[in-house]
Amino acid sequence: MSNALTKTDFNFPGQKSVYHGKVRDVYNINDEKLVMVATDRISAFDVILPRGIPFKGQVLNQIAAKFLDATTDICPNWKLATPDPMVTVGVMCKGFPVEMIVRGYLCGSSWRAYKSGVREICGVKLPEGMKENQKFPEPLVTPTSKAAEGHDEDISKEEIIAQGLVGREDYEKLEAYTRAIYKRGCEIAAQHGLILVDTKYEFGKKDGQIYLMDEVHTPDSSRYFYAEGYEERLARGEHQKQLSKEFVREWLMANGFQGQEGQKVPEMTPEVVAGISDRYIELYEHITGDKFEKTEYSAEAIEANVKACLEGLK
């Protein structure tokens, strides 16, 4: 079984600080650049699971890099280089305090709300008579405010502007970028027999310029359906065949864990870990259409690659 990178402790030239997130470690270089290491940590229900998943960081980093490159004509993004399969180096921006969520289909939390009688999400009106997993007449942009602690909260465009979280002009740009990037993502997904159901984007600003930040169209930030059989399953009211991180949550729930107090994470045996790793690689190959090339990580190689990259970006 391959090793998993679950902890980093690098000291890069010009490093001012490091932020250890749930799954990524972000190094601040002179308040100008960020070195984002996609570790193999995995989280579900806001809990970091006790075992890392080999190649997960590489999968997510390489999918994000591919989609950032595929959308540069729509919106500038933070990426400067990917010096290592698990690392992206980019521009340090001041992030907007909202996440731009875009939904093309009625499913997940939006379906649960709809089923309970809700007909408006984040100030957006929903049509009557819709079925679970049905396509919206046009994609909905349903932002959330980014919480420092706890869960992000749904919020409407007008509330965002009224609270001064984002100015009207900037918000209009964020929404336009969100729709255009989602449209591109749907087109690419369709080429691989997939439907990009919903996803989220984060944006930031530097020197007056808006940048797309963070991971894009990965299975951790997006939900995909298989296009083949979609209409038939919809007509029969059956669950859609999904391509997302949902299988991890389903395994946890089947073993009595939903992140609630007093619940214990089920044992992650080597077989379970290997199975999750295989599923992430399968996700990569479906989403990108490329064969996944496994790279055994080495902390020494990551450090050397990043140092050479930072030197070259001076």
Side-chain angles (χ1 to χ4, degrees):
M1 185 70 194
S2 299
N3 287 330
L5 176 64
T6 55
K7 189 169 182 285
T8 74
D9 186 24
F10 295 115
N11 192 2
F12 299 120
Q15 182 174 316
K16 294 191 79 170
S17 61
V18 58
Y19 168 73
H20 297 284
K22 283 205 281 280
V23 297
R24 283 166 302 178
D25 294 344
V26 185
Y27 291 81
N28 171 352
I29 310 299
N30 286 325
D31 291 332
E32 292 171 354
K33 297 182 184 74
L34 294 178
V35 173
M36 186 182 283
V37 183
T39 74
D40 293 322
R41 296 192 296 269
I42 185 167
S43 76
F45 301 115
D46 287 331
V47 173
I48 299 171
L49 303 186
R51 296 281 301 276
I53 305 300
F55 307 112
K56 173 184 173 282
Q58 182 186 346
V59 162
L60 297 187
N61 193 59
Q62 292 188 171
I63 292 174
K66 191 177 181 76
F67 279 102
L68 286 169
D69 290 346
T71 54
T72 49
D73 60 317
I74 297 171
C75 173
N77 66 60
W78 77 289
K79 178 188 158 216
L80 295 171
T82 46
D84 184 274
M86 300 180 80
V87 180
T88 298
V89 175
V91 176
M92 185 174 180
C93 309
K94 181 172 171 51
F96 288 104
V98 295
E99 280 190 357
M100 301 300 285
I101 295 171
V102 56
R103 305 172 186 274
Y105 296 75
L106 180 62
C107 70
S109 62
S110 61
W111 166 247
R112 289 191 289 276
Y114 190 89
K115 196 167 58 167
S116 72
V118 172
R119 291 296 178 270
E120 187 177 299
I121 301 177
C122 303
V124 182
K125 296 268 193 292
L126 304 180
E128 290 291 343
M130 289 190 71
K131 295 197 293 190
E132 184 177 11
N133 301 326
Q134 189 175 343
K135 188 176 183 178
F136 289 119
E138 64 173 72
L140 310 183
V141 176
T142 58
T144 61
S145 60
K146 292 193 68 175
E149 290 180 21
H151 295 283
D152 298 345
E153 300 288 339
D154 286 352
I155 189 168
S156 72
K157 168 184 175 176
E158 293 309 325
E159 286 171 326
I160 288 170
I161 293 164
Q163 291 177 24
L165 296 176
V166 183
R168 185 173 292 277
E169 188 183 337
D170 278 348
Y171 185 85
E172 300 285 0
K173 281 185 187 167
L174 296 187
E175 193 165 290
Y177 282 146
T178 294
R179 292 187 185 281
I181 297 163
Y182 176 68
K183 183 170 183 283
R184 178 69 54 79
C186 290
E187 290 163 356
I188 295 170
Q191 292 166 13
H192 304 306
L194 298 172
I195 293 168
L196 179 55
V197 178
D198 50 37
T199 189
K200 68 182 177 74
Y201 305 120
E202 294 189 41
F203 295 91
K205 207 171 188 183
K206 183 180 175 69
D207 300 331
Q209 172 70 62
I210 292 175
Y211 290 84
L212 174 62
M213 309 190 315
D214 209 7
E215 62 181 22
V216 178
H217 298 162
T218 72
D220 275 19
S221 66
S222 316
R223 191 187 328 242
Y224 291 87
F225 289 159
Y226 286 87
E228 188 181 345
Y230 164 77
E231 292 292 353
E232 292 81 356
R233 283 188 282 271
L234 181 69
R236 292 195 296 262
E238 294 175 2
H239 287 302
Q240 291 294 333
K241 195 176 170 199
Q242 280 198 37
L243 193 69
S244 72
K245 183 181 155 184
E246 191 63 29
F247 72 91
V248 177
R249 287 186 283 266
E250 285 171 356
W251 172 74
L252 289 167
M253 287 190 288
N255 286 277
F257 183 79
Q258 294 184 58
Q260 291 161 8
E261 205 172 325
Q263 292 183 338
K264 193 163 177 274
V265 177
E267 185 189 358
M268 296 178 73
T269 63
E271 292 75 25
V272 166
V273 170
I276 296 174
S277 180
D278 289 346
R279 284 291 293 274
Y280 266 95
I281 290 168
E282 185 188 333
L283 291 172
Y284 174 92
E285 294 183 341
H286 274 295
I287 291 166
T288 65
D290 298 334
K291 181 94 178 81
F292 183 75
E293 303 292 339
K294 292 181 178 179
T295 303
E296 292 286 352
Y297 91 87
S298 147
E300 293 76 17
I302 290 174
E303 190 154 12
N305 291 339
V306 171
K307 282 181 176 173
C309 172
L310 292 174
E311 188 62 37
L313 290 171
K314 277 184 180 174

